[in-house]
Amino acid sequence: MTVVAGILIILTVGLLWASKEEIPDRYETSAVTGPFYRLAIKVEKRLRKPVLPVELREKIFRKNEERFYLLNPAENAARQGREFFVEKCALIFLILFAGLALSGIIGLKENGESILTDGTGLERKEAGRGRYTVHLDAQTENGEYKNLEIVVSDRIYTPEEILDIREPFREQLEKEILGGNISADHISADMNLTESVKGYPFFIEWHSSERKILSPKGEIGEEVPAEGMLVMLEAICSYEDYTEINTFPVMVYPRELSAAEEMTDRILSAIEENAIKTQSEDILWLPEEVDGVKIAWTEKKSHNGLILAVLILISVVVIYRGKDVDLEKKVKEKQDQMLLDYPELISKYALLVGAGMTSRMAWKKLVTDHRDRNSEDGKDLKKEKEVRFVFEEMRYTLLEMESGVGELQAYQNFANRVRVQKYVKFVSLLEQNVKLGASGFINALQREAAEAMEERKSTAKRLGEEAGTKLLVPMMLMLLIVMVVIIVPAFTSI
């Protein structure tokens, strides 16, 4: 607790130290988070100064700045790194302050309270309040025994104590069962036939001499005569081995309606009278007045339109987000497909260059062969045409070269569009071939083809593992359904 108190004091002093620091508008803060942002901004400014070794400052700030530059080179990476550090520190300070304060309060409460009485006693709850469980450590001459679970049952009344509480219990019970009624001589509202009375250990079971007039739950029936009927209520009160039967005579009358219920009945009766009188008319006229009370009728309109509008707004948000997710998924699928096509592409390219073709001619040959193969697939109705992204990008590069773009520039444009490391390496080999000649180019292509084939195997294995992971959730759901189908009938048949 001393360490907790020390950290809380340091944080409090820090919050006071940074209380006058201005928060830039780019930070979204509230009354709760504002002080912690001020402290984080103050700490960030302080750490930027040469109070720390250069290596440590580089490790704290430079690493994240490089990551932001890789994510978005057009933005100010230094500013993004600074904001990221401030937001991270503010969250840490907030969690530390709130968590440690809460843990300190709990710790003080735990240290201040002791469940043991005089070192060896555990106080029982009053009879009828239920048992509770404690975990204690025991230390003996032979050793220490940790986390012993002890169940402390509630106190049991002695026979003498039960006799002493009988009368006050009956008096309290007689009051509570009346519910909203004033006296047992005139019961016109449902009674409160409770199973227990607070402060007493008895369990109560009720029986009624006239169940159709007054149910064991205290509900008044529909067949109560206007002059009333006497009903004998029997309360079987039990505790441990003790049982006592108490009888309560009550006079039950028809249920008395509230003013609202009475008015509702009058209105419905008036409508029914009008319905009988106007059976031959085209319109059922509702009463404008009942017993001198004027009535204004309004329609109870549904809100289906509003509900539909809300659903549409939710759908728009879901679709908007779903499109972004689908786009990210398509980009990943494209890159995975291009990685799978790379070994075949580089192998064919090495074969064509080894046969005497120039880089540009081999490039064109691969594009035209793929185009011809797709044309043949298009003629075969049974075979579906499949788009291979890498050959589409190569075709675009070929069109660039044929339209006058330099060969080196076209290859660089290809690498910028593809953004896959393997193809960037392939383009670097092509650039070396164009600049320095064909010396060692074929051997480099063959080595690259062999490495690509090995990596294709690992890529296929990774994609298979991802597919297996996606199937795991449906398989678990199917297993759960099978278990329910098997277990539920087994339990219902017991």
Side-chain angles (χ1 to χ4, degrees):
M1 293 304 298
T2 305
V3 176
V4 171
I7 297 175
L8 282 174
I9 291 172
I10 293 172
L11 282 174
T12 304
V13 172
L15 292 172
L16 294 174
W17 170 56
S19 59
K20 295 184 179 180
E21 187 72 28
E22 293 185 2
I23 303 176
D25 295 336
R26 60 179 177 270
Y27 296 110
E28 295 183 1
T29 62
S30 64
V32 176
T33 59
F36 299 97
Y37 268 89
R38 291 188 181 92
L39 177 58
I41 293 170
K42 195 80 172 178
V43 170
E44 189 271 337
K45 288 181 179 180
R46 190 69 177 172
L47 292 179
R48 289 282 181 180
K49 296 179 180 180
V51 295
L52 294 177
V54 177
E55 297 81 6
L56 187 57
R57 291 206 308 274
E58 289 287 324
K59 189 174 182 180
I60 293 174
F61 298 108
R62 185 63 182 171
K63 196 172 183 181
N64 284 330
E65 290 174 4
E66 289 178 357
R67 289 172 179 169
F68 278 111
Y69 176 76
L70 292 174
L71 287 173
N72 195 352
E75 295 291 334
N76 188 330
R79 180 178 60 81
Q80 286 183 309
R82 188 180 304 113
E83 292 176 0
F84 178 76
F85 178 81
V86 168
E87 290 175 355
K88 182 170 60 175
C89 288
L91 179 61
I92 290 172
F93 293 152
L94 175 60
I95 293 174
L96 266 178
F97 190 84
L100 292 179
L102 181 61
S103 65
I105 293 171
I106 295 173
L108 290 174
K109 185 177 179 182
E110 290 175 343
N111 292 332
E113 295 181 356
S114 177
I115 58 174
L116 287 173
T117 303
D118 296 332
T120 57
L122 290 171
E123 187 176 354
R124 297 182 184 274
K125 292 184 179 181
E126 287 293 327
R129 296 284 182 89
R131 63 181 66 186
Y132 69 96
T133 303
V134 296
H135 293 82
L136 301 174
D137 296 336
Q139 191 167 5
T140 67
E141 296 178 355
N142 299 327
E144 189 174 357
Y145 305 91
K146 296 283 188 179
N147 200 28
L148 300 179
E149 184 177 296
I150 303 169
V151 178
V152 184
S153 60
D154 55 346
R155 191 174 73 85
I156 297 178
Y157 281 97
T158 63
E160 292 78 12
E161 289 176 322
I162 292 175
L163 293 175
D164 290 338
I165 65 173
R166 284 174 54 197
E167 283 305 317
F169 165 70
R170 179 183 169 86
E171 293 175 2
Q172 184 64 29
L173 179 61
E174 192 170 359
K175 292 178 183 178
E176 291 198 9
I177 64 175
L178 290 177
N181 299 284
I182 299 175
S183 170
D185 296 332
H186 193 282
I187 301 296
S188 58
D190 290 343
M191 301 183 69
N192 179 31
L193 300 186
T194 179
E195 293 182 348
S196 62
V197 176
K198 187 176 181 181
Y200 296 93
F202 300 102
F203 175 77
I204 310 165
E205 183 180 355
W206 292 93
H207 295 281
S208 172
S209 61
E210 300 290 341
R211 299 175 65 92
K212 292 184 179 181
I213 304 300
L214 186 67
S215 73
K217 294 182 179 180
E219 299 170 346
I220 296 177
E222 300 294 334
E223 303 178 5
V224 182
E227 65 275 12
M229 178 177 286
L230 182 65
V231 178
M232 303 300 293
L233 286 175
E234 188 177 76
I236 304 175
C237 309
S238 58
Y239 172 70
E240 297 294 333
D241 297 331
Y242 176 83
T243 302
E244 179 183 74
I245 300 176
N246 290 296
T247 304
F248 301 93
V250 293
M251 195 67 182
V252 182
Y253 290 87
R255 186 193 305 273
E256 292 182 358
L257 299 178
S258 64
E261 291 173 335
E262 287 182 1
M263 193 62 188
T264 301
D265 285 347
R266 291 175 190 171
I267 293 173
L268 293 177
S269 298
I271 294 173
E272 188 175 354
E273 290 177 7
N274 281 2
I276 295 172
K277 292 177 182 179
T278 60
Q279 282 183 345
S280 59
E281 298 181 11
D282 294 334
I283 299 175
L284 169 62
W285 297 103
L286 301 176
E288 298 180 1
E289 183 179 301
V290 173
D291 296 338
V293 180
K294 292 186 178 181
I295 304 174
W297 295 94
T298 56
E299 294 183 55
K300 186 179 179 181
K301 297 182 179 180
S302 62
H303 301 285
N304 293 334
L306 179 61
I307 294 172
L308 180 60
V310 172
L311 291 176
I312 290 173
L313 291 174
I314 294 173
S315 301
V316 168
V317 174
V318 172
I319 292 171
Y320 180 82
R321 176 56 187 160
K323 290 290 185 182
D324 292 344
V325 173
D326 288 342
L327 184 60
E328 294 173 5
K329 185 178 178 182
K330 288 178 180 178
V331 172
K332 187 176 184 303
E333 289 176 351
K334 176 181 177 181
Q335 292 180 342
D336 288 340
Q337 186 199 79
M338 295 178 76
L339 281 173
L340 290 174
D341 288 340
Y342 182 72
E344 180 183 357
L345 172 70
I346 194 71
S347 298
K348 288 182 178 179
Y349 199 90
L351 185 63
L352 293 173
V353 173
M357 287 188 178
T358 62
S359 297
R360 182 166 179 167
M361 291 175 60
W363 191 281
K364 183 176 182 179
K365 176 66 174 172
L366 289 174
V367 173
T368 53
D369 286 350
H370 178 72
R371 183 187 59 195
D372 295 341
R373 187 164 59 250
N374 273 356
S375 299
E376 293 176 1
D377 293 343
K379 294 177 183 178
D380 188 355
L381 298 179
K382 295 181 180 179
K383 193 170 184 180
E384 186 178 353
K385 181 179 177 181
E386 184 182 5
V387 176
R388 309 306 296 182
F389 295 107
V390 64
F391 290 103
E392 294 297 320
E393 294 291 345
M394 290 178 68
R395 183 179 66 82
Y396 188 84
T397 302
L398 180 62
L399 292 175
E400 282 186 331
M401 288 188 286
E402 291 177 349
S403 64
V405 177
E407 188 174 352
L408 283 177
Q409 185 62 46
Y411 291 150
Q412 291 172 359
N413 293 342
F414 170 79
N416 290 332
R417 289 195 307 273
V418 171
R419 299 285 180 93
V420 177
Q421 186 61 35
K422 284 295 179 183
Y423 288 97
V424 173
K425 184 177 180 180
F426 174 47
V427 167
S428 67
L429 292 176
L430 294 177
E431 290 177 347
Q432 292 177 11
N433 178 47
V434 173
K435 291 179 180 179
L436 305 177
S439 176
F441 179 57
I442 297 176
N443 292 333
L445 285 176
Q446 290 174 346
R447 287 195 302 271
E448 182 66 18
E451 293 176 4
M453 189 60 67
E454 291 298 323
E455 291 187 6
R456 179 175 182 175
K457 294 178 182 178
S458 61
T459 302
K461 182 179 179 182
R462 177 178 60 82
L463 293 176
E465 291 174 351
E466 290 178 358
T469 304
K470 292 177 181 177
L471 290 174
L472 184 60
V473 174
M475 289 173 62
M476 293 297 291
L477 291 175
M478 291 175 63
L479 176 61
L480 181 61
I481 292 171
V482 172
M483 291 177 65
V484 169
V485 170
I486 295 173
I487 294 173
V488 171
F491 275 99
T492 55
S493 62
I494 295 175

